[in-house]
Each structure stands twice: as structure tokens, then as C-alpha cells.
Amino acid sequence: MEVGKISDFRDGCRDAIPICLGYIAVSFAFGIESSKAQLTPLQAVMTSLLNVTSAGQFSALSIIEAQGSFIELIVLQFIINLRYMLMSTALSQKLDPELPTPYRLGISYGVTDEIFGVSVLKKGKLYPMYSYGLIFVSVFGWVLGTFLGAESGQLMPHRLISCLGLAIYGMFIAIIVPDTRKSSAVMAVVASAMALSTLFTYAPILNHISSGFRIIIVTVAVAAAASVIAPIKEDGDE
Amino acid sequence: MSKVYAYILVMAVVTYAIRAIPLTLIRKEIKSKFIKSFLYYVPYATLAAMTFPAILSATDYWMSSVVGFAVAMILAFNKKSLLTVASCACAAAFIVELFIR
């Protein structure tokens, strides 16, 4: 049973440099948002270090700021981060079946959209040392950006902060939109989720539902409908 | 404010469990076509719902948000990288705000 060499760790670090740069930009925005939500820089950094999940962290801020219920937070995190289950399942197929649990727990820490993307495209078996390299450099960028955003957010000109608010949404768009070109089902999912979310935001009565549950309801409804109407082909996609 | 730490820890535990359970327990392929399809569509639905219409109020002016949104959509549709899409959307909004302030 092999876990990889120090050179695998180095390869992982190298391959994570683009992720690291992207993370600094996005987590900088998270740092700013978290200070707007009254989190201290330490709390912001802890959130990033312990969670490493952009969408989950951003969505949690509104609940924390509103002192929302733990149930809402748990359900929201579960739904938003459910995709990591699919990714972890896919990654488990790339590991040595004999790989002991401690290594699996280590790799689990860093399952994000981007780290998953790089790991799953890696040729051959996935060594823990390689994953650790990816995680080390990526999380470094994620935490550094959070710290800088949380510390210096208030020092920056307001108009710059205003525009940085778009960074996270830009990243989400960059993740979901390219795939709409190769799958009309994905196109339909993205379009109807946006439409439904708009309806829930502005329609009378529906607009009383909190933003956390709005996202959950829209996600479950649209993803379930799509699974019935256009189930994925076996061995296809991902 | 110590309740904030409780929030942070709770979400960390939930998020870690989601990642760790499949990697440690599931070593066989999921068979249910529905669950596989559902999991496949979840990220697109979630991120789309989180992005719109929230993006329209991401900046101080709806006009700069709309322009930033349009720029992000066009660049992403042309498969530009995460960093390019995010930074160009911000830059476009910044330029618009230079004119309307």
C-alpha cells in the first residue's frame, strides 16, 4: 500500500497554485462580508480554516448575523454542501482500496469544487501525499485571503469593497455556466433555479421565507425535477 | 458573541461529515439512478439559486451589479477561468460606478 512520496506532496503544492490565487480573491470577499456580519477576524479565519467551503460559508453569514436557528444552519449546510458527497464518492474510487481510514479522513478535509476537480483529473491512483500538497497550498490561500479581507476590509475605499461583493457570484457563475453549453438539462436547471429563486425573493407570502430555506427549497425542487425528467446517463458526466 | 463559535463549530462538523462519510465508508458505486442524478444536479441548482437574484444587490448600485453579472455570464459562457470571471466582473462594476457616482 503506497501513500506517495515527498515529491508527490511537491507536485500537489505546484498544481494548487492557481487554486490558491483564486481562493485569495474569493476569500478576501468573504473576509469583508464576515466583518460586515459582525464577525471578528479570528472568527472569520476560524470559519475558513474549519470549513473551506465558499458557498456554505457565505450562506452561513446571514444566519449568524440574524442569530438564526441551528437547525436552519445545519439543513442549509447539508443541502449546499451535499455536492461534496458526490465528489467524495467519486474520489473514493481513485484511492487504493487498502488505504487506511486516517488517510481518508485527511483527504476528506479538503474536498472542495476546485481541489476535487484537480484530484479527479490526476492520472492513475490518488496518493494522500499529493492530496495533502493540494490542500496545504489551497487552504493557505483561503485562510490568508480571509484574514486580509477581515482585517483590511474597513481600510479599503468603500467603492472597491462594493465591487468586490461580486467576486463570489462571479466564481459561482464560472463554476456552473460553462457546463450549460454541453448539457441542455444543466442549462434548464440553472435557468429554472434562478427563476424560482427570483419568485421566492419577490412574490408576496413567499418572500417571508428566509434566504437559507429559500435556497434549500429551490435546490431540492429543481434537482429532483431534473433527476426525474432528465436522469443522467450511466457512466456519463462527472 | 460566543454563540458565533457554536455556529462555526456546528457548520464545520456538518460539512466535514458530508466529506468524510463517503470517503471512509462508501467503497462501492452508488446504484440508484435517481440519487446519482440528484447529486449531479445539486451544485448547479444551489449555486444558481444563490447567485440570482442576490447578485443584483451585491454592489451599491443595481446598474453596476447588472453590468458585472452580464460580464461574468459572457466570460463564463466562453469558459474563462474562475479568477478571470470573478475579477473582470468586479472590474466592470468598478468602472460603471466611476461614472454614476
Side-chain angles (χ1 to χ4, degrees), chain A residues 51-52 67-68 81 88 97 104-105 108 111 158-159 162-163 171 179 181 197 219 227 230 232 234, chain B residues 7 11-12 15-16 19 23 27 36-38 41 44 46 49 52-53 59-60 77 82 94 97-98 101:
Chain A
N51 292 278
V52 208
Q67 301 267 301
N81 292 330
S88 284
R104 291 171 181 269
L105 290 174
S108 300
V111 179
H158 182 75
R159 60 171 52 180
S162 162
C163 298
M171 193 181 94
D179 290 344
R181 290 181 67 156
S197 164
T219 300
S227 309
I232 56 171
E234 292 301 326
Chain B
Y7 282 121
M11 65 183 283
T15 307
Y16 185 71
R19 289 165 165 156
L23 262 176
R27 301 193 187 196
K36 278 168 79 172
S37 302
F38 184 79
Y41 288 121
Y44 301 107
T46 305
F52 201 85
T59 66
D60 291 344
F77 202 72
L82 210 128
F94 185 76
E97 291 197 12
L98 283 182
R101 270 176 198 254

mmCIF file of all heavy atoms in Angstrom, chain A residues 51-52 67-68 81 88 97 104-105 108 111 158-159 162-163 171 179 181 197 219 227 230 232 234, chain B residues 7 11-12 15-16 19 23 27 36-38 41 44 46 49 52-53 59-60 77 82 94 97-98 101:
data_model
loop_
_atom_site.group_PDB
_atom_site.id
_atom_site.type_symbol
_atom_site.label_atom_id
_atom_site.label_comp_id
_atom_site.label_asym_id
_atom_site.label_seq_id
_atom_site.Cartn_x
_atom_site.Cartn_y
_atom_site.Cartn_z
ATOM 1 N N ASN A 51 -13.953 25.111 7.679
ATOM 2 C CA ASN A 51 -14.998 24.736 6.720
ATOM 3 C C ASN A 51 -14.513 24.590 5.275
ATOM 4 O O ASN A 51 -14.919 23.652 4.595
ATOM 5 C CB ASN A 51 -16.144 25.743 6.766
ATOM 6 C CG ASN A 51 -16.901 25.669 8.078
ATOM 7 O OD1 ASN A 51 -17.760 24.834 8.258
ATOM 8 N ND2 ASN A 51 -16.545 26.535 9.020
ATOM 9 N N VAL A 52 -13.667 25.514 4.831
ATOM 10 C CA VAL A 52 -13.174 25.508 3.452
ATOM 11 C C VAL A 52 -14.305 25.248 2.442
ATOM 12 O O VAL A 52 -14.211 24.357 1.622
ATOM 13 C CB VAL A 52 -12.054 24.462 3.245
ATOM 14 C CG1 VAL A 52 -11.139 24.920 2.111
ATOM 15 C CG2 VAL A 52 -11.246 24.213 4.501
ATOM 16 N N GLN A 67 -28.725 35.652 14.011
ATOM 17 C CA GLN A 67 -28.847 34.752 15.163
ATOM 18 C C GLN A 67 -29.909 33.686 14.894
ATOM 19 O O GLN A 67 -30.748 33.401 15.746
ATOM 20 C CB GLN A 67 -29.209 35.541 16.419
ATOM 21 C CG GLN A 67 -28.204 36.612 16.772
ATOM 22 C CD GLN A 67 -27.145 36.152 17.738
ATOM 23 O OE1 GLN A 67 -27.432 35.732 18.842
ATOM 24 N NE2 GLN A 67 -25.891 36.167 17.318
ATOM 25 N N GLY A 68 -29.877 33.141 13.682
ATOM 26 C CA GLY A 68 -30.871 32.153 13.259
ATOM 27 C C GLY A 68 -30.748 30.848 14.017
ATOM 28 O O GLY A 68 -29.856 30.674 14.863
ATOM 29 N N ASN A 81 -23.790 21.786 0.779
ATOM 30 C CA ASN A 81 -22.548 21.031 0.660
ATOM 31 C C ASN A 81 -22.756 19.574 0.265
ATOM 32 O O ASN A 81 -21.820 18.789 0.219
ATOM 33 C CB ASN A 81 -21.757 21.113 1.967
ATOM 34 C CG ASN A 81 -21.249 22.514 2.223
ATOM 35 O OD1 ASN A 81 -20.986 23.248 1.280
ATOM 36 N ND2 ASN A 81 -21.129 22.899 3.476
ATOM 37 N N SER A 88 -16.779 13.193 -2.944
ATOM 38 C CA SER A 88 -16.078 12.243 -2.079
ATOM 39 C C SER A 88 -16.284 10.819 -2.568
ATOM 40 O O SER A 88 -15.362 10.003 -2.538
ATOM 41 C CB SER A 88 -16.591 12.348 -0.638
ATOM 42 O OG SER A 88 -16.066 13.494 -0.025
ATOM 43 N N PRO A 97 -7.927 0.740 -2.423
ATOM 44 C CA PRO A 97 -8.950 0.177 -1.536
ATOM 45 C C PRO A 97 -8.402 -0.161 -0.143
ATOM 46 O O PRO A 97 -9.146 -0.182 0.834
ATOM 47 C CB PRO A 97 -9.396 -1.095 -2.254
ATOM 48 C CG PRO A 97 -9.024 -0.884 -3.673
ATOM 49 C CD PRO A 97 -7.805 -0.008 -3.675
ATOM 50 N N ARG A 104 -7.844 8.631 4.736
ATOM 51 C CA ARG A 104 -9.127 9.016 4.133
ATOM 52 C C ARG A 104 -9.717 10.227 4.849
ATOM 53 O O ARG A 104 -10.282 11.118 4.229
ATOM 54 C CB ARG A 104 -10.109 7.840 4.185
ATOM 55 C CG ARG A 104 -9.691 6.710 3.260
ATOM 56 C CD ARG A 104 -10.532 5.452 3.472
ATOM 57 N NE ARG A 104 -10.079 4.408 2.575
ATOM 58 C CZ ARG A 104 -10.588 4.221 1.350
ATOM 59 N NH1 ARG A 104 -11.587 4.946 0.934
ATOM 60 N NH2 ARG A 104 -10.096 3.278 0.564
ATOM 61 N N LEU A 105 -9.549 10.258 6.177
ATOM 62 C CA LEU A 105 -10.058 11.395 6.952
ATOM 63 C C LEU A 105 -9.284 12.669 6.612
ATOM 64 O O LEU A 105 -9.845 13.763 6.591
ATOM 65 C CB LEU A 105 -9.959 11.096 8.454
ATOM 66 C CG LEU A 105 -10.924 10.023 8.973
ATOM 67 C CD1 LEU A 105 -10.636 9.718 10.441
ATOM 68 C CD2 LEU A 105 -12.371 10.425 8.779
ATOM 69 N N SER A 108 -10.450 13.917 3.236
ATOM 70 C CA SER A 108 -11.825 14.420 3.353
ATOM 71 C C SER A 108 -11.865 15.914 3.669
ATOM 72 O O SER A 108 -12.748 16.631 3.206
ATOM 73 C CB SER A 108 -12.579 13.690 4.467
ATOM 74 O OG SER A 108 -12.636 12.316 4.205
ATOM 75 N N VAL A 111 -12.035 18.366 0.461
ATOM 76 C CA VAL A 111 -12.865 18.131 -0.726
ATOM 77 C C VAL A 111 -13.650 19.410 -1.049
ATOM 78 O O VAL A 111 -14.651 19.708 -0.416
ATOM 79 C CB VAL A 111 -13.838 16.948 -0.520
ATOM 80 C CG1 VAL A 111 -14.696 16.750 -1.764
ATOM 81 C CG2 VAL A 111 -13.067 15.679 -0.209
ATOM 82 N N HIS A 158 -14.535 52.483 0.055
ATOM 83 C CA HIS A 158 -15.830 51.827 0.023
ATOM 84 C C HIS A 158 -16.226 51.346 -1.365
ATOM 85 O O HIS A 158 -16.801 50.277 -1.530
ATOM 86 C CB HIS A 158 -16.914 52.741 0.576
ATOM 87 C CG HIS A 158 -18.255 52.098 0.610
ATOM 88 N ND1 HIS A 158 -18.596 51.146 1.546
ATOM 89 C CD2 HIS A 158 -19.321 52.181 -0.231
ATOM 90 C CE1 HIS A 158 -19.812 50.708 1.305
ATOM 91 N NE2 HIS A 158 -20.276 51.314 0.233
ATOM 92 N N ARG A 159 -15.910 52.114 -2.381
ATOM 93 C CA ARG A 159 -16.339 51.732 -3.736
ATOM 94 C C ARG A 159 -15.650 50.451 -4.206
ATOM 95 O O ARG A 159 -16.185 49.707 -5.013
ATOM 96 C CB ARG A 159 -16.091 52.866 -4.724
ATOM 97 C CG ARG A 159 -14.629 53.282 -4.845
ATOM 98 C CD ARG A 159 -14.425 54.238 -5.986
ATOM 99 N NE ARG A 159 -15.352 55.393 -5.918
ATOM 100 C CZ ARG A 159 -15.374 56.372 -6.815
ATOM 101 N NH1 ARG A 159 -14.561 56.344 -7.833
ATOM 102 N NH2 ARG A 159 -16.208 57.380 -6.670
ATOM 103 N N SER A 162 -17.513 47.614 -2.473
ATOM 104 C CA SER A 162 -18.795 47.447 -3.148
ATOM 105 C C SER A 162 -18.639 46.495 -4.338
ATOM 106 O O SER A 162 -19.420 45.572 -4.523
ATOM 107 C CB SER A 162 -19.298 48.812 -3.607
ATOM 108 O OG SER A 162 -20.288 48.673 -4.583
ATOM 109 N N CYS A 163 -17.603 46.693 -5.134
ATOM 110 C CA CYS A 163 -17.405 45.880 -6.341
ATOM 111 C C CYS A 163 -16.922 44.468 -6.021
ATOM 112 O O CYS A 163 -17.259 43.522 -6.727
ATOM 113 C CB CYS A 163 -16.419 46.564 -7.270
ATOM 114 S SG CYS A 163 -17.036 48.152 -7.813
ATOM 115 N N MET A 171 -17.509 33.784 -9.173
ATOM 116 C CA MET A 171 -16.946 32.443 -9.067
ATOM 117 C C MET A 171 -18.037 31.385 -9.249
ATOM 118 O O MET A 171 -17.836 30.393 -9.955
ATOM 119 C CB MET A 171 -16.261 32.261 -7.723
ATOM 120 C CG MET A 171 -15.385 31.031 -7.665
ATOM 121 S SD MET A 171 -14.607 30.797 -6.055
ATOM 122 C CE MET A 171 -15.768 29.712 -5.288
ATOM 123 N N ASP A 179 -20.774 24.492 -18.048
ATOM 124 C CA ASP A 179 -21.402 23.192 -18.299
ATOM 125 C C ASP A 179 -22.765 23.302 -18.972
ATOM 126 O O ASP A 179 -23.286 22.307 -19.470
ATOM 127 C CB ASP A 179 -21.545 22.409 -16.977
ATOM 128 C CG ASP A 179 -20.192 21.951 -16.465
ATOM 129 O OD1 ASP A 179 -19.225 21.972 -17.255
ATOM 130 O OD2 ASP A 179 -20.099 21.571 -15.285
ATOM 131 N N ARG A 181 -23.240 24.641 -21.627
ATOM 132 C CA ARG A 181 -23.013 24.512 -23.068
ATOM 133 C C ARG A 181 -23.060 23.077 -23.545
ATOM 134 O O ARG A 181 -23.401 22.798 -24.677
ATOM 135 C CB ARG A 181 -21.650 25.116 -23.441
ATOM 136 C CG ARG A 181 -21.646 26.613 -23.312
ATOM 137 C CD ARG A 181 -20.324 27.186 -23.704
ATOM 138 N NE ARG A 181 -20.058 27.001 -25.127
ATOM 139 C CZ ARG A 181 -19.237 27.776 -25.807
ATOM 140 N NH1 ARG A 181 -18.617 28.774 -25.236
ATOM 141 N NH2 ARG A 181 -19.016 27.554 -27.075
ATOM 142 N N SER A 197 -35.858 31.121 -7.668
ATOM 143 C CA SER A 197 -35.274 31.894 -6.582
ATOM 144 C C SER A 197 -35.752 33.348 -6.634
ATOM 145 O O SER A 197 -35.997 33.969 -5.598
ATOM 146 C CB SER A 197 -33.754 31.799 -6.688
ATOM 147 O OG SER A 197 -33.130 32.772 -5.925
ATOM 148 N N THR A 219 -33.291 24.356 -4.470
ATOM 149 C CA THR A 219 -32.340 23.317 -4.859
ATOM 150 C C THR A 219 -33.010 21.948 -4.940
ATOM 151 O O THR A 219 -32.879 21.234 -5.948
ATOM 152 C CB THR A 219 -31.179 23.231 -3.846
ATOM 153 O OG1 THR A 219 -30.510 24.475 -3.818
ATOM 154 C CG2 THR A 219 -30.202 22.123 -4.237
ATOM 155 N N SER A 227 -33.854 15.306 -12.077
ATOM 156 C CA SER A 227 -33.477 13.887 -11.980
ATOM 157 C C SER A 227 -34.565 12.991 -12.549
ATOM 158 O O SER A 227 -34.284 11.909 -13.071
ATOM 159 C CB SER A 227 -33.228 13.502 -10.525
ATOM 160 O OG SER A 227 -32.340 14.397 -9.937
ATOM 161 N N ALA A 230 -34.726 14.296 -16.638
ATOM 162 C CA ALA A 230 -33.519 14.003 -17.416
ATOM 163 C C ALA A 230 -32.480 13.288 -16.567
ATOM 164 O O ALA A 230 -31.450 13.864 -16.210
ATOM 165 C CB ALA A 230 -32.952 15.304 -17.978
ATOM 166 N N ILE A 232 -29.304 11.274 -15.426
ATOM 167 C CA ILE A 232 -28.009 11.224 -16.110
ATOM 168 C C ILE A 232 -27.779 9.841 -16.687
ATOM 169 O O ILE A 232 -28.264 8.843 -16.158
ATOM 170 C CB ILE A 232 -26.842 11.609 -15.178
ATOM 171 C CG1 ILE A 232 -26.821 10.722 -13.937
ATOM 172 C CG2 ILE A 232 -26.931 13.072 -14.800
ATOM 173 C CD1 ILE A 232 -25.578 10.913 -13.098
ATOM 174 N N GLU A 234 -25.787 6.459 -17.553
ATOM 175 C CA GLU A 234 -24.799 5.652 -16.829
ATOM 176 C C GLU A 234 -23.415 5.894 -17.426
ATOM 177 O O GLU A 234 -23.270 6.013 -18.631
ATOM 178 C CB GLU A 234 -25.150 4.163 -16.914
ATOM 179 C CG GLU A 234 -26.420 3.792 -16.157
ATOM 180 C CD GLU A 234 -26.354 4.132 -14.668
ATOM 181 O OE1 GLU A 234 -25.271 4.032 -14.087
ATOM 182 O OE2 GLU A 234 -27.401 4.504 -14.106
ATOM 183 N N TYR B 7 -21.905 28.405 16.184
ATOM 184 C CA TYR B 7 -22.321 28.327 14.776
ATOM 185 C C TYR B 7 -21.188 27.767 13.911
ATOM 186 O O TYR B 7 -21.378 26.882 13.088
ATOM 187 C CB TYR B 7 -22.684 29.721 14.248
ATOM 188 C CG TYR B 7 -24.038 30.247 14.657
ATOM 189 C CD1 TYR B 7 -24.169 31.436 15.358
ATOM 190 C CD2 TYR B 7 -25.204 29.570 14.298
ATOM 191 C CE1 TYR B 7 -25.404 31.946 15.717
ATOM 192 C CE2 TYR B 7 -26.443 30.064 14.656
ATOM 193 C CZ TYR B 7 -26.551 31.246 15.363
ATOM 194 O OH TYR B 7 -27.775 31.734 15.704
ATOM 195 N N MET B 11 -21.343 24.157 11.865
ATOM 196 C CA MET B 11 -21.255 24.042 10.411
ATOM 197 C C MET B 11 -20.005 23.267 9.992
ATOM 198 O O MET B 11 -20.032 22.535 9.008
ATOM 199 C CB MET B 11 -21.368 25.399 9.720
ATOM 200 C CG MET B 11 -20.259 26.388 9.984
ATOM 201 S SD MET B 11 -20.565 27.978 9.166
ATOM 202 C CE MET B 11 -20.134 27.601 7.477
ATOM 203 N N ALA B 12 -18.928 23.401 10.772
ATOM 204 C CA ALA B 12 -17.710 22.660 10.449
ATOM 205 C C ALA B 12 -17.946 21.150 10.572
ATOM 206 O O ALA B 12 -17.511 20.371 9.726
ATOM 207 C CB ALA B 12 -16.572 23.087 11.365
ATOM 208 N N THR B 15 -20.223 19.967 7.651
ATOM 209 C CA THR B 15 -19.506 19.981 6.380
ATOM 210 C C THR B 15 -18.463 18.859 6.324
ATOM 211 O O THR B 15 -18.320 18.182 5.304
ATOM 212 C CB THR B 15 -18.823 21.356 6.180
ATOM 213 O OG1 THR B 15 -19.802 22.377 6.334
ATOM 214 C CG2 THR B 15 -18.206 21.462 4.798
ATOM 215 N N TYR B 16 -17.757 18.648 7.442
ATOM 216 C CA TYR B 16 -16.732 17.605 7.442
ATOM 217 C C TYR B 16 -17.358 16.220 7.333
ATOM 218 O O TYR B 16 -16.849 15.354 6.617
ATOM 219 C CB TYR B 16 -15.867 17.700 8.703
ATOM 220 C CG TYR B 16 -14.724 16.718 8.681
ATOM 221 C CD1 TYR B 16 -13.658 16.914 7.811
ATOM 222 C CD2 TYR B 16 -14.736 15.580 9.481
ATOM 223 C CE1 TYR B 16 -12.621 16.005 7.741
ATOM 224 C CE2 TYR B 16 -13.700 14.665 9.427
ATOM 225 C CZ TYR B 16 -12.647 14.889 8.562
ATOM 226 O OH TYR B 16 -11.633 13.981 8.487
ATOM 227 N N ARG B 19 -18.174 15.239 3.850
ATOM 228 C CA ARG B 19 -16.998 14.878 3.055
ATOM 229 C C ARG B 19 -16.415 13.539 3.484
ATOM 230 O O ARG B 19 -15.943 12.759 2.656
ATOM 231 C CB ARG B 19 -15.926 15.953 3.221
ATOM 232 C CG ARG B 19 -16.260 17.262 2.556
ATOM 233 C CD ARG B 19 -15.356 18.364 3.057
ATOM 234 N NE ARG B 19 -15.426 19.534 2.196
ATOM 235 C CZ ARG B 19 -15.135 20.768 2.596
ATOM 236 N NH1 ARG B 19 -14.744 20.967 3.838
ATOM 237 N NH2 ARG B 19 -15.213 21.776 1.778
ATOM 238 N N LEU B 23 -16.047 9.074 1.795
ATOM 239 C CA LEU B 23 -14.655 8.683 1.555
ATOM 240 C C LEU B 23 -14.224 7.525 2.445
ATOM 241 O O LEU B 23 -13.379 6.708 2.070
ATOM 242 C CB LEU B 23 -13.727 9.873 1.776
ATOM 243 C CG LEU B 23 -13.304 10.613 0.505
ATOM 244 C CD1 LEU B 23 -12.472 11.833 0.830
ATOM 245 C CD2 LEU B 23 -12.505 9.693 -0.417
ATOM 246 N N ARG B 27 -17.325 2.347 -0.530
ATOM 247 C CA ARG B 27 -16.245 1.923 -1.430
ATOM 248 C C ARG B 27 -16.816 1.280 -2.678
ATOM 249 O O ARG B 27 -16.089 0.892 -3.572
ATOM 250 C CB ARG B 27 -15.301 0.966 -0.698
ATOM 251 C CG ARG B 27 -14.704 1.663 0.535
ATOM 252 C CD ARG B 27 -13.542 0.930 1.129
ATOM 253 N NE ARG B 27 -13.144 1.566 2.386
ATOM 254 C CZ ARG B 27 -11.987 1.355 2.992
ATOM 255 N NH1 ARG B 27 -11.116 0.542 2.465
ATOM 256 N NH2 ARG B 27 -11.707 1.954 4.122
ATOM 257 N N LYS B 36 -28.031 9.416 -7.971
ATOM 258 C CA LYS B 36 -26.881 9.871 -8.747
ATOM 259 C C LYS B 36 -27.216 11.126 -9.537
ATOM 260 O O LYS B 36 -26.438 12.077 -9.587
ATOM 261 C CB LYS B 36 -26.414 8.769 -9.706
ATOM 262 C CG LYS B 36 -25.527 7.736 -9.028
ATOM 263 C CD LYS B 36 -25.315 6.506 -9.889
ATOM 264 C CE LYS B 36 -24.289 6.714 -10.970
ATOM 265 N NZ LYS B 36 -23.982 5.426 -11.650
ATOM 266 N N SER B 37 -28.400 11.120 -10.162
ATOM 267 C CA SER B 37 -28.820 12.276 -10.953
ATOM 268 C C SER B 37 -29.029 13.488 -10.057
ATOM 269 O O SER B 37 -28.601 14.592 -10.362
ATOM 270 C CB SER B 37 -30.125 11.974 -11.700
ATOM 271 O OG SER B 37 -29.952 10.859 -12.530
ATOM 272 N N PHE B 38 -29.692 13.232 -8.910
ATOM 273 C CA PHE B 38 -29.968 14.315 -7.972
ATOM 274 C C PHE B 38 -28.664 14.979 -7.519
ATOM 275 O O PHE B 38 -28.516 16.198 -7.566
ATOM 276 C CB PHE B 38 -30.740 13.763 -6.772
ATOM 277 C CG PHE B 38 -31.154 14.804 -5.783
ATOM 278 C CD1 PHE B 38 -32.259 15.609 -6.015
ATOM 279 C CD2 PHE B 38 -30.445 14.986 -4.605
ATOM 280 C CE1 PHE B 38 -32.645 16.576 -5.100
ATOM 281 C CE2 PHE B 38 -30.821 15.948 -3.688
ATOM 282 C CZ PHE B 38 -31.927 16.742 -3.936
ATOM 283 N N TYR B 41 -27.126 17.170 -10.189
ATOM 284 C CA TYR B 41 -27.763 18.461 -10.471
ATOM 285 C C TYR B 41 -27.688 19.446 -9.308
ATOM 286 O O TYR B 41 -27.841 20.650 -9.502
ATOM 287 C CB TYR B 41 -29.224 18.261 -10.880
ATOM 288 C CG TYR B 41 -29.391 17.673 -12.260
ATOM 289 C CD1 TYR B 41 -30.061 16.467 -12.452
ATOM 290 C CD2 TYR B 41 -28.880 18.331 -13.378
ATOM 291 C CE1 TYR B 41 -30.206 15.924 -13.723
ATOM 292 C CE2 TYR B 41 -29.021 17.797 -14.645
ATOM 293 C CZ TYR B 41 -29.695 16.593 -14.813
ATOM 294 O OH TYR B 41 -29.828 16.070 -16.064
ATOM 295 N N TYR B 44 -25.470 22.766 -9.479
ATOM 296 C CA TYR B 44 -25.955 23.766 -10.439
ATOM 297 C C TYR B 44 -27.167 24.511 -9.866
ATOM 298 O O TYR B 44 -27.256 25.732 -9.958
ATOM 299 C CB TYR B 44 -26.329 23.092 -11.761
ATOM 300 C CG TYR B 44 -25.175 22.361 -12.386
ATOM 301 C CD1 TYR B 44 -25.111 20.963 -12.396
ATOM 302 C CD2 TYR B 44 -24.103 23.063 -12.943
ATOM 303 C CE1 TYR B 44 -24.041 20.294 -12.953
ATOM 304 C CE2 TYR B 44 -23.026 22.408 -13.503
ATOM 305 C CZ TYR B 44 -22.997 21.014 -13.502
ATOM 306 O OH TYR B 44 -21.930 20.364 -14.045
ATOM 307 N N THR B 46 -28.132 24.797 -6.637
ATOM 308 C CA THR B 46 -27.772 25.587 -5.458
ATOM 309 C C THR B 46 -27.062 26.883 -5.831
ATOM 310 O O THR B 46 -27.441 27.963 -5.382
ATOM 311 C CB THR B 46 -26.809 24.805 -4.543
ATOM 312 O OG1 THR B 46 -27.405 23.579 -4.218
ATOM 313 C CG2 THR B 46 -26.515 25.564 -3.282
ATOM 314 N N ALA B 49 -29.318 29.347 -7.598
ATOM 315 C CA ALA B 49 -30.282 29.971 -6.681
ATOM 316 C C ALA B 49 -29.597 30.984 -5.764
ATOM 317 O O ALA B 49 -30.169 32.012 -5.420
ATOM 318 C CB ALA B 49 -30.985 28.908 -5.844
ATOM 319 N N PHE B 52 -28.623 34.277 -8.166
ATOM 320 C CA PHE B 52 -29.671 35.148 -8.677
ATOM 321 C C PHE B 52 -30.938 35.010 -7.849
ATOM 322 O O PHE B 52 -31.331 33.884 -7.560
ATOM 323 C CB PHE B 52 -29.941 34.798 -10.157
ATOM 324 C CG PHE B 52 -30.605 35.899 -10.913
ATOM 325 C CD1 PHE B 52 -29.866 36.912 -11.489
ATOM 326 C CD2 PHE B 52 -31.982 35.926 -11.027
ATOM 327 C CE1 PHE B 52 -30.481 37.938 -12.177
ATOM 328 C CE2 PHE B 52 -32.604 36.953 -11.713
ATOM 329 C CZ PHE B 52 -31.861 37.961 -12.291
ATOM 330 N N PRO B 53 -31.569 36.068 -7.423
ATOM 331 C CA PRO B 53 -31.311 37.487 -7.738
ATOM 332 C C PRO B 53 -30.343 38.201 -6.783
ATOM 333 O O PRO B 53 -30.166 39.400 -6.913
ATOM 334 C CB PRO B 53 -32.701 38.101 -7.617
ATOM 335 C CG PRO B 53 -33.349 37.298 -6.536
ATOM 336 C CD PRO B 53 -32.823 35.909 -6.672
ATOM 337 N N THR B 59 -23.601 44.963 -5.154
ATOM 338 C CA THR B 59 -22.862 46.229 -5.075
ATOM 339 C C THR B 59 -23.823 47.328 -4.614
ATOM 340 O O THR B 59 -24.996 47.074 -4.368
ATOM 341 C CB THR B 59 -22.276 46.620 -6.452
ATOM 342 O OG1 THR B 59 -23.359 46.890 -7.338
ATOM 343 C CG2 THR B 59 -21.429 45.502 -7.022
ATOM 344 N N ASP B 60 -23.300 48.549 -4.535
ATOM 345 C CA ASP B 60 -24.132 49.657 -4.042
ATOM 346 C C ASP B 60 -25.206 50.088 -5.042
ATOM 347 O O ASP B 60 -26.225 50.645 -4.678
ATOM 348 C CB ASP B 60 -23.248 50.863 -3.716
ATOM 349 C CG ASP B 60 -22.376 50.583 -2.509
ATOM 350 O OD1 ASP B 60 -22.681 49.627 -1.782
ATOM 351 O OD2 ASP B 60 -21.389 51.306 -2.303
ATOM 352 N N PHE B 77 -19.503 31.791 -20.034
ATOM 353 C CA PHE B 77 -20.035 31.034 -21.174
ATOM 354 C C PHE B 77 -18.918 30.731 -22.164
ATOM 355 O O PHE B 77 -18.947 29.734 -22.863
ATOM 356 C CB PHE B 77 -21.162 31.823 -21.854
ATOM 357 C CG PHE B 77 -22.084 30.967 -22.660
ATOM 358 C CD1 PHE B 77 -22.972 30.107 -22.026
ATOM 359 C CD2 PHE B 77 -22.060 31.000 -24.050
ATOM 360 C CE1 PHE B 77 -23.811 29.290 -22.769
ATOM 361 C CE2 PHE B 77 -22.898 30.185 -24.800
ATOM 362 C CZ PHE B 77 -23.787 29.328 -24.158
ATOM 363 N N LEU B 82 -12.002 30.706 -13.429
ATOM 364 C CA LEU B 82 -12.647 31.228 -12.227
ATOM 365 C C LEU B 82 -12.132 32.618 -11.850
ATOM 366 O O LEU B 82 -12.904 33.539 -11.585
ATOM 367 C CB LEU B 82 -12.253 30.240 -11.134
ATOM 368 C CG LEU B 82 -13.121 29.964 -9.982
ATOM 369 C CD1 LEU B 82 -13.294 28.476 -9.878
ATOM 370 C CD2 LEU B 82 -12.423 30.489 -8.778
ATOM 371 N N PHE B 94 -16.764 48.204 -11.088
ATOM 372 C CA PHE B 94 -15.992 49.350 -10.597
ATOM 373 C C PHE B 94 -16.005 50.492 -11.606
ATOM 374 O O PHE B 94 -16.219 51.658 -11.262
ATOM 375 C CB PHE B 94 -14.546 48.915 -10.302
ATOM 376 C CG PHE B 94 -13.707 49.984 -9.678
ATOM 377 C CD1 PHE B 94 -13.862 50.299 -8.335
ATOM 378 C CD2 PHE B 94 -12.784 50.687 -10.430
ATOM 379 C CE1 PHE B 94 -13.098 51.295 -7.754
ATOM 380 C CE2 PHE B 94 -12.011 51.696 -9.847
ATOM 381 C CZ PHE B 94 -12.168 51.986 -8.512
ATOM 382 N N GLU B 97 -19.323 52.207 -11.723
ATOM 383 C CA GLU B 97 -19.546 53.074 -10.563
ATOM 384 C C GLU B 97 -18.740 54.364 -10.635
ATOM 385 O O GLU B 97 -19.123 55.376 -10.047
ATOM 386 C CB GLU B 97 -19.242 52.304 -9.265
ATOM 387 C CG GLU B 97 -20.256 51.211 -9.009
ATOM 388 C CD GLU B 97 -20.248 50.691 -7.579
ATOM 389 O OE1 GLU B 97 -19.617 51.322 -6.705
ATOM 390 O OE2 GLU B 97 -20.884 49.649 -7.342
ATOM 391 N N LEU B 98 -17.616 54.332 -11.371
ATOM 392 C CA LEU B 98 -16.839 55.558 -11.548
ATOM 393 C C LEU B 98 -17.682 56.610 -12.247
ATOM 394 O O LEU B 98 -17.573 57.805 -11.998
ATOM 395 C CB LEU B 98 -15.585 55.274 -12.389
ATOM 396 C CG LEU B 98 -14.411 54.589 -11.714
ATOM 397 C CD1 LEU B 98 -13.251 54.447 -12.698
ATOM 398 C CD2 LEU B 98 -13.958 55.364 -10.484
ATOM 399 N N ARG B 101 -21.227 57.676 -9.879
ATOM 400 C CA ARG B 101 -21.128 58.312 -8.565
ATOM 401 C C ARG B 101 -21.046 59.828 -8.665
ATOM 402 O O ARG B 101 -20.365 60.347 -9.525
ATOM 403 C CB ARG B 101 -19.892 57.793 -7.819
ATOM 404 C CG ARG B 101 -20.222 56.574 -7.005
ATOM 405 C CD ARG B 101 -18.962 56.012 -6.357
ATOM 406 N NE ARG B 101 -19.224 54.633 -5.953
ATOM 407 C CZ ARG B 101 -19.403 54.273 -4.676
ATOM 408 N NH1 ARG B 101 -19.370 55.159 -3.717
ATOM 409 N NH2 ARG B 101 -19.619 53.008 -4.385
#
